[in-house]
Amino acid sequence: MVVASARILFDKLADIRETDTLVFTNELGLTIEKNPIEINVKRGANGKPILTEVVV
């Protein structure tokens, strides 16, 4: 059961795959390693990628 998730936004089209491990440090200095649950590319009206959204 998932109780919390994080949404990370990257500029333009980021080369991130479901098999990658993302490592980040929160405000308390705790380092967290997670695999992406969902990867979405947000595109503009012209079809070019604006953001890559990664849910962990």
Side-chain angles (χ1 to χ4, degrees):
M1 175 171 67
V2 175
V3 255
S5 65
R7 188 176 85 172
I8 303 168
L9 300 174
F10 295 96
D11 191 31
K12 302 195 181 186
L13 183 61
D15 185 20
I16 298 178
R17 295 181 172 84
E18 301 266 342
T19 56
D20 292 342
T21 300
L22 299 175
V23 180
F24 57 96
T25 304
N26 67 11
E27 301 86 9
L28 301 173
L30 184 65
T31 301
I32 301 166
E33 295 183 20
K34 294 281 186 177
N35 291 345
I37 297 171
E38 185 177 342
I39 301 171
N40 300 310
V41 178
K42 307 297 182 184
R43 298 186 182 273
N46 59 0
K48 292 185 179 180
I50 297 173
L51 290 172
T52 301
E53 174 190 38
V54 180
V55 179
V56 293

